[in-house]
Coordinates of all heavy atoms in Angstrom, one line a residue:
V249 N -18.5 257.2 -43.0 CA -18.4 257.7 -44.3 C -19.4 257.0 -45.2 O -19.6 255.8 -45.1 CB -16.9 257.4 -44.8 CG1 -16.8 257.8 -46.3 CG2 -15.9 258.1 -44.0
D250 N -20.0 257.8 -46.1 CA -21.0 257.2 -47.0 C -20.3 256.4 -48.0 O -19.6 256.9 -48.9 CB -21.8 258.4 -47.6 CG -22.9 257.9 -48.6 OD1 -22.9 256.7 -48.9 OD2 -23.7 258.8 -49.0
R251 N -20.4 255.1 -47.9 CA -19.7 254.2 -48.8 C -20.2 254.3 -50.3 O -19.4 254.2 -51.2 CB -19.9 252.7 -48.3 CG -19.2 252.6 -47.0 CD -19.5 251.2 -46.4 NE -18.6 250.3 -47.0 CZ -18.7 249.0 -46.8 NH1 -19.7 248.5 -46.0 NH2 -17.9 248.1 -47.4
Q252 N -21.4 254.6 -50.5 CA -22.0 254.8 -51.8 C -21.3 256.1 -52.5 O -20.9 256.0 -53.6 CB -23.5 255.0 -51.9 CG -24.1 255.2 -53.3 CD -23.9 254.0 -54.1 OE1 -24.3 252.9 -53.8 NE2 -23.2 254.1 -55.3
L253 N -21.1 257.1 -51.7 CA -20.5 258.3 -52.2 C -19.0 258.0 -52.6 O -18.5 258.5 -53.6 CB -20.6 259.5 -51.2 CG -19.9 260.8 -51.7 CD1 -20.5 261.3 -53.0 CD2 -19.9 261.8 -50.6
L254 N -18.3 257.3 -51.7 CA -16.9 257.0 -52.0 C -16.8 256.1 -53.3 O -15.9 256.4 -54.1 CB -16.3 256.2 -50.9 CG -15.9 257.0 -49.6 CD1 -15.4 256.1 -48.5 CD2 -14.9 258.1 -50.0
L255 N -17.8 255.2 -53.5 CA -17.7 254.4 -54.7 C -18.0 255.3 -55.9 O -17.4 255.1 -57.0 CB -18.8 253.3 -54.6 CG -18.7 252.2 -55.7 CD1 -17.4 251.5 -55.8 CD2 -19.8 251.2 -55.5
R256 N -19.0 256.2 -55.8 CA -19.3 257.1 -56.9 C -18.1 258.0 -57.2 O -18.0 258.5 -58.4 CB -20.6 257.9 -56.6 CG -21.8 257.1 -56.6 CD -23.1 257.9 -56.3 NE -23.3 258.8 -57.3 CZ -24.0 260.0 -57.1 NH1 -24.4 260.3 -55.9 NH2 -24.2 260.8 -58.1
L257 N -17.3 258.4 -56.2 CA -16.2 259.2 -56.4 C -15.0 258.5 -57.0 O -14.0 259.1 -57.4 CB -15.7 259.9 -55.1 CG -16.6 261.1 -54.7 CD1 -16.3 261.4 -53.2 CD2 -16.5 262.2 -55.6
F258 N -15.0 257.2 -57.1 CA -13.9 256.4 -57.6 C -13.4 256.9 -59.0 O -12.2 257.0 -59.2 CB -14.1 254.9 -57.6 CG -13.0 254.1 -58.1 CD1 -11.8 254.0 -57.3 CD2 -13.0 253.6 -59.4 CE1 -10.7 253.3 -57.8 CE2 -11.9 253.0 -59.9 CZ -10.7 252.8 -59.1
P259 N -14.3 257.1 -59.9 CA -13.7 257.6 -61.2 C -12.9 258.9 -61.1 O -11.9 259.0 -61.8 CB -15.0 257.8 -62.1 CG -16.0 256.9 -61.5 CD -15.7 256.9 -60.0
L260 N -13.3 259.8 -60.3 CA -12.5 261.0 -60.0 C -11.1 260.6 -59.4 O -10.1 261.1 -59.9 CB -13.2 262.0 -59.2 CG -12.4 263.2 -58.7 CD1 -11.9 264.0 -59.9 CD2 -13.2 264.1 -57.8
M261 N -11.1 259.8 -58.4 CA -9.9 259.3 -57.8 C -8.9 258.7 -58.8 O -7.7 259.0 -58.9 CB -10.1 258.4 -56.6 CG -10.9 259.0 -55.5 SD -11.1 257.7 -54.2 CE -12.9 257.7 -54.1
F262 N -9.5 257.8 -59.6 CA -8.7 257.1 -60.6 C -8.2 258.1 -61.7 O -7.0 258.1 -62.0 CB -9.6 256.1 -61.3 CG -8.9 255.3 -62.4 CD1 -8.0 254.2 -62.1 CD2 -9.0 255.6 -63.7 CE1 -7.3 253.5 -63.0 CE2 -8.3 254.9 -64.7 CZ -7.5 253.9 -64.4
A263 N -9.0 259.0 -62.2 CA -8.6 259.9 -63.2 C -7.5 260.9 -62.6 O -6.5 261.2 -63.3 CB -9.8 260.7 -63.7
A264 N -7.8 261.4 -61.4 CA -6.8 262.4 -60.9 C -5.4 261.7 -60.6 O -4.4 262.3 -60.9 CB -7.4 262.9 -59.6
G265 N -5.4 260.5 -60.1 CA -4.2 259.8 -59.9 C -3.4 259.5 -61.2 O -2.2 259.8 -61.2
C266 N -4.1 259.0 -62.2 CA -3.4 258.8 -63.5 C -2.9 260.1 -64.1 O -1.8 260.2 -64.5 CB -4.4 258.1 -64.5 SG -4.9 256.5 -64.1
F267 N -3.8 261.1 -64.0 CA -3.5 262.4 -64.6 C -2.3 263.0 -63.9 O -1.4 263.6 -64.6 CB -4.7 263.3 -64.4 CG -4.7 264.6 -65.2 CD1 -5.0 264.6 -66.5 CD2 -4.4 265.7 -64.5 CE1 -5.0 265.8 -67.2 CE2 -4.4 266.9 -65.2 CZ -4.7 267.0 -66.5
L268 N -2.3 263.0 -62.6 CA -1.2 263.6 -61.9 C 0.2 263.1 -62.3 O 1.1 263.9 -62.6 CB -1.4 263.4 -60.4 CG -0.4 264.0 -59.4 CD1 -0.5 265.5 -59.5 CD2 -0.6 263.5 -58.0
T269 N 0.3 261.8 -62.3 CA 1.6 261.3 -62.7 C 2.0 261.5 -64.2 O 3.1 262.0 -64.5 CB 1.7 259.8 -62.4 OG1 1.4 259.6 -61.0 CG2 3.0 259.1 -62.8
V270 N 1.1 261.2 -65.0 CA 1.3 261.3 -66.5 C 1.6 262.7 -66.9 O 2.6 263.0 -67.6 CB 0.2 260.6 -67.3 CG1 0.3 260.9 -68.8 CG2 0.1 259.1 -67.0
V271 N 0.7 263.6 -66.5 CA 0.9 265.0 -66.9 C 2.2 265.6 -66.3 O 2.8 266.4 -67.0 CB -0.4 265.9 -66.6 CG1 -0.1 267.3 -66.8 CG2 -1.5 265.4 -67.4
Y272 N 2.5 265.3 -65.1 CA 3.7 265.8 -64.5 C 4.9 265.4 -65.4 O 5.8 266.2 -65.7 CB 3.9 265.4 -63.1 CG 5.3 265.7 -62.6 CD1 5.7 267.0 -62.3 CD2 6.3 264.7 -62.5 CE1 7.0 267.3 -61.9 CE2 7.6 265.0 -62.1 CZ 7.9 266.3 -61.8 OH 9.2 266.6 -61.5
Y273 N 5.0 264.1 -65.7 CA 6.2 263.6 -66.4 C 6.2 264.0 -67.9 O 7.3 264.1 -68.5 CB 6.4 262.1 -66.2 CG 6.9 261.8 -64.9 CD1 6.1 261.2 -63.9 CD2 8.2 262.1 -64.5 CE1 6.6 261.0 -62.6 CE2 8.7 261.8 -63.3 CZ 7.9 261.3 -62.3 OH 8.4 261.0 -61.1
I274 N 5.0 264.4 -68.4 CA 5.0 264.8 -69.8 C 5.2 266.3 -69.9 O 6.0 266.8 -70.8 CB 3.7 264.4 -70.5 CG1 3.6 262.9 -70.7 CG2 3.5 265.1 -71.8 CD1 2.3 262.4 -71.2
L275 N 4.6 267.1 -69.0 CA 4.6 268.6 -69.2 C 5.5 269.3 -68.3 O 6.1 270.3 -68.7 CB 3.2 269.1 -69.0 CG 2.1 268.7 -70.0 CD1 0.8 269.3 -69.7 CD2 2.5 269.0 -71.4
D276 N 5.7 268.9 -67.0 CA 6.5 269.7 -66.1 C 7.9 269.2 -65.9 O 8.8 270.0 -65.9 CB 5.8 269.8 -64.7 CG 6.4 270.9 -63.9 OD1 6.4 272.0 -64.3 OD2 6.8 270.6 -62.7
F277 N 8.1 267.9 -65.8 CA 9.4 267.4 -65.5 C 10.4 267.8 -66.6 O 11.5 268.2 -66.3 CB 9.3 265.9 -65.4 CG 10.7 265.2 -65.1 CD1 11.3 265.4 -63.9 CD2 11.2 264.4 -66.1 CE1 12.6 264.8 -63.7 CE2 12.5 263.8 -65.9 CZ 13.1 264.0 -64.7
P278 N 10.1 267.7 -67.9 CA 11.1 268.0 -68.9 C 11.1 269.5 -69.2 O 11.9 270.0 -70.0 CB 10.6 267.2 -70.2 CG 9.1 267.1 -70.0 CD 8.9 267.0 -68.5
N279 N 10.2 270.3 -68.6 CA 10.1 271.7 -68.9 C 11.4 272.5 -68.5 O 11.7 272.5 -67.3 CB 8.9 272.3 -68.3 CG 8.7 273.8 -68.6 OD1 9.3 274.6 -68.1 ND2 7.8 274.0 -69.6
A280 N 12.1 273.2 -69.4 CA 13.3 273.8 -69.1 C 13.2 274.9 -68.0 O 14.0 275.1 -67.1 CB 13.9 274.4 -70.4
E281 N 12.1 275.7 -68.1 CA 11.9 276.8 -67.2 C 11.6 276.2 -65.8 O 12.1 276.8 -64.8 CB 10.8 277.7 -67.6 CG 10.5 278.8 -66.7 CD 11.7 279.8 -66.4 OE1 12.5 279.9 -67.3 OE2 11.7 280.4 -65.3
S282 N 10.9 275.2 -65.7 CA 10.6 274.5 -64.4 C 11.9 274.0 -63.8 O 12.2 274.2 -62.6 CB 9.7 273.4 -64.6 OG 9.4 272.7 -63.4
R283 N 12.8 273.4 -64.6 CA 14.1 272.9 -64.1 C 15.0 274.1 -63.6 O 15.6 274.0 -62.6 CB 14.7 272.1 -65.2 CG 13.9 270.8 -65.4 CD 14.7 269.8 -66.3 NE 15.8 269.1 -65.7 CZ 15.7 268.2 -64.8 NH1 14.5 267.9 -64.3 NH2 16.8 267.6 -64.3
R284 N 14.9 275.2 -64.4 CA 15.7 276.4 -64.0 C 15.3 276.9 -62.6 O 16.1 277.3 -61.8 CB 15.7 277.5 -65.1 CG 16.6 277.3 -66.2 CD 16.7 278.5 -67.1 NE 15.5 278.7 -67.9 CZ 15.2 278.2 -69.0 NH1 16.0 277.3 -69.5 NH2 14.0 278.5 -69.6
K285 N 14.0 277.0 -62.5 CA 13.5 277.5 -61.2 C 13.9 276.6 -60.0 O 14.3 277.1 -59.0 CB 11.9 277.6 -61.2 CG 11.4 278.7 -62.0 CD 9.9 278.7 -61.9 CE 9.3 279.9 -62.6 NZ 7.8 280.0 -62.6
K286 N 13.8 275.3 -60.2 CA 14.3 274.4 -59.2 C 15.8 274.5 -58.9 O 16.2 274.4 -57.8 CB 13.8 273.0 -59.5 CG 12.3 272.8 -59.5 CD 11.9 271.5 -60.0 CE 10.4 271.5 -60.2 NZ 10.0 270.6 -61.2
E287 N 16.5 274.7 -60.0 CA 18.0 274.8 -59.9 C 18.4 276.0 -59.0 O 19.3 276.0 -58.2 CB 18.6 274.8 -61.3 CG 20.1 274.5 -61.3 CD 20.4 273.2 -60.7 OE1 19.9 272.1 -61.1 OE2 21.3 273.1 -59.8
R288 N 17.6 277.1 -59.2 CA 17.9 278.3 -58.4 C 17.6 278.1 -56.9 O 18.2 278.8 -56.1 CB 17.0 279.5 -58.9 CG 17.5 280.0 -60.3 CD 16.8 281.3 -60.6 NE 15.4 281.3 -60.8 CZ 14.7 281.1 -61.9 NH1 15.4 281.0 -63.0 NH2 13.4 281.0 -61.9
C289 N 16.8 277.2 -56.6 CA 16.4 276.9 -55.2 C 17.2 275.8 -54.6 O 17.1 275.5 -53.4 CB 14.9 276.6 -55.1 SG 13.8 277.9 -55.6
R290 N 18.0 275.1 -55.4 CA 18.7 273.9 -54.9 C 19.6 274.1 -53.7 O 19.6 273.2 -52.8 CB 19.5 273.3 -56.1 CG 20.0 272.0 -55.8 CD 20.8 271.4 -56.9 NE 20.6 270.0 -56.9 CZ 20.7 269.2 -58.0 NH1 21.0 269.7 -59.1 NH2 20.5 267.9 -57.9
A291 N 20.3 275.3 -53.6 CA 21.2 275.5 -52.5 C 20.4 275.5 -51.2 O 20.8 275.0 -50.1 CB 21.9 276.8 -52.6
Q292 N 19.2 276.2 -51.2 CA 18.4 276.3 -50.0 C 17.5 275.0 -49.8 O 17.3 274.6 -48.6 CB 17.4 277.5 -50.1 CG 16.7 277.8 -48.9 CD 15.8 279.0 -49.0 OE1 15.8 279.7 -50.0 NE2 15.2 279.4 -47.9
F293 N 17.1 274.3 -50.8 CA 16.3 273.1 -50.8 C 17.0 272.0 -51.5 O 16.7 271.7 -52.7 CB 14.9 273.4 -51.3 CG 14.2 274.5 -50.7 CD1 14.1 275.7 -51.3 CD2 13.7 274.4 -49.4 CE1 13.5 276.8 -50.7 CE2 13.0 275.5 -48.8 CZ 13.0 276.7 -49.5
P294 N 18.0 271.3 -50.9 CA 18.8 270.3 -51.7 C 18.0 269.2 -52.3 O 18.4 268.5 -53.2 CB 19.8 269.9 -50.7 CG 19.3 270.2 -49.4 CD 18.4 271.4 -49.5
Y295 N 16.8 268.9 -51.8 CA 16.1 267.7 -52.2 C 14.9 268.2 -53.1 O 14.0 267.4 -53.3 CB 15.5 266.9 -51.0 CG 16.7 266.4 -50.2 CD1 16.9 266.9 -48.9 CD2 17.5 265.4 -50.7 CE1 18.0 266.5 -48.2 CE2 18.6 264.9 -49.9 CZ 18.8 265.5 -48.7 OH 19.8 265.0 -47.9
I296 N 15.0 269.3 -53.7 CA 13.8 269.9 -54.5 C 13.5 269.0 -55.7 O 12.3 268.8 -56.0 CB 14.1 271.3 -54.9 CG1 12.8 271.9 -55.4 CG2 15.2 271.4 -56.0 CD1 12.8 273.4 -55.5
F297 N 14.5 268.4 -56.3 CA 14.1 267.5 -57.4 C 13.5 266.2 -57.0 O 12.6 265.7 -57.7 CB 15.4 267.2 -58.3 CG 15.8 268.5 -59.0 CD1 16.9 269.2 -58.6 CD2 15.2 268.8 -60.2 CE1 17.3 270.4 -59.3 CE2 15.6 270.0 -60.9 CZ 16.6 270.7 -60.4
W298 N 13.9 265.7 -55.8 CA 13.3 264.5 -55.3 C 11.9 264.7 -54.9 O 11.0 263.9 -55.0 CB 14.1 263.9 -54.1 CG 15.3 263.3 -54.5 CD1 16.6 263.8 -54.5 CD2 15.5 262.0 -55.1 NE1 17.5 262.9 -54.9 CE2 16.8 261.7 -55.3 CE3 14.5 261.0 -55.4 CZ2 17.3 260.6 -55.9 CZ3 15.0 259.8 -56.0 CH2 16.4 259.6 -56.2
N299 N 11.6 265.9 -54.4 CA 10.3 266.3 -53.9 C 9.2 266.1 -55.0 O 8.1 265.5 -54.7 CB 10.3 267.7 -53.4 CG 8.9 268.2 -52.9 OD1 8.4 267.6 -52.0 ND2 8.3 269.1 -53.6
D300 N 9.5 266.5 -56.2 CA 8.5 266.4 -57.3 C 8.2 264.9 -57.6 O 7.1 264.5 -57.9 CB 9.0 267.1 -58.5 CG 8.8 268.6 -58.4 OD1 8.0 269.0 -57.6 OD2 9.5 269.3 -59.1
H301 N 9.2 264.1 -57.6 CA 9.0 262.6 -57.8 C 8.2 262.0 -56.7 O 7.3 261.2 -57.0 CB 10.3 261.9 -58.0 CG 11.1 262.3 -59.1 ND1 10.7 262.2 -60.4 CD2 12.3 262.9 -59.2 CE1 11.6 262.7 -61.3 NE2 12.6 263.1 -60.5
L302 N 8.5 262.4 -55.5 CA 7.7 261.9 -54.3 C 6.3 262.4 -54.3 O 5.4 261.7 -53.9 CB 8.4 262.3 -53.0 CG 9.7 261.6 -52.8 CD1 10.4 262.2 -51.5 CD2 9.6 260.1 -52.7
A303 N 6.0 263.6 -54.9 CA 4.7 264.1 -54.9 C 3.9 263.6 -56.1 O 2.6 263.6 -56.0 CB 4.8 265.7 -54.9
H304 N 4.5 263.3 -57.2 CA 3.8 262.9 -58.4 C 3.9 261.5 -58.8 O 3.0 260.9 -59.4 CB 4.2 263.8 -59.6 CG 4.0 265.3 -59.3 ND1 4.9 266.1 -58.8 CD2 2.9 266.0 -59.6 CE1 4.4 267.3 -58.7 NE2 3.2 267.3 -59.2
G305 N 5.0 260.9 -58.6 CA 5.3 259.5 -59.1 C 4.5 258.4 -58.6 O 4.2 257.4 -59.3
H306 N 4.0 258.5 -57.4 CA 3.3 257.4 -56.7 C 1.9 257.3 -57.1 O 1.2 256.2 -56.9 CB 3.5 257.5 -55.2 CG 2.7 258.6 -54.6 ND1 3.2 259.9 -54.7 CD2 1.5 258.6 -54.0 CE1 2.3 260.7 -54.1 NE2 1.3 259.9 -53.7
A307 N 1.3 258.3 -57.6 CA -0.2 258.4 -57.8 C -0.7 257.3 -58.8 O -1.7 256.6 -58.5 CB -0.6 259.8 -58.2
L308 N -0.1 257.2 -59.9 CA -0.5 256.3 -60.9 C -0.4 254.8 -60.4 O -1.4 254.1 -60.5 CB 0.3 256.4 -62.2 CG 0.0 255.4 -63.4 CD1 -1.5 255.6 -63.8 CD2 0.9 255.7 -64.5
P309 N 0.7 254.4 -59.9 CA 0.7 253.0 -59.4 C -0.3 252.7 -58.3 O -0.9 251.6 -58.3 CB 2.1 252.8 -58.9 CG 2.9 253.9 -59.4 CD 2.0 255.0 -59.8
L310 N -0.5 253.7 -57.4 CA -1.5 253.5 -56.4 C -2.9 253.4 -56.9 O -3.7 252.6 -56.4 CB -1.4 254.6 -55.3 CG -0.1 254.5 -54.4 CD1 0.0 255.7 -53.4 CD2 0.0 253.2 -53.7
V311 N -3.3 254.3 -57.8 CA -4.7 254.2 -58.3 C -4.9 252.9 -59.1 O -6.0 252.4 -59.1 CB -5.2 255.5 -59.0 CG1 -5.2 256.7 -58.1 CG2 -4.4 255.7 -60.3
L312 N -3.9 252.5 -59.8 CA -4.0 251.2 -60.6 C -4.2 250.1 -59.6 O -5.0 249.2 -59.8 CB -2.8 251.0 -61.5 CG -2.7 251.9 -62.7 CD1 -1.5 251.7 -63.4 CD2 -4.0 251.8 -63.6

Side-chain angles (χ1 to χ4, degrees):
V249 176
D250 183 350
R251 296 172 80 187
Q252 181 65 58
L253 178 61
L254 284 176
L255 188 60
R256 289 179 65 207
L257 283 169
F258 179 76
L260 171 60
M261 293 180 242
F262 180 80
C266 291
F267 189 81
L268 180 68
T269 299
V270 172
V271 170
Y272 169 73
Y273 284 106
I274 290 174
L275 297 179
D276 195 55
F277 179 71
N279 184 280
E281 180 59 27
S282 180
R283 295 188 72 69
R284 279 192 290 277
K285 283 182 177 182
K286 291 172 190 153
E287 197 58 53
R288 287 192 298 265
C289 298
R290 190 178 212 156
Q292 188 175 3
F293 305 103
Y295 300 106
I296 195 163
F297 289 101
W298 284 103
N299 179 63
D300 285 338
H301 296 296
L302 293 173
H304 299 91
H306 69 283
L308 178 62
L310 288 178
V311 296
L312 290 175

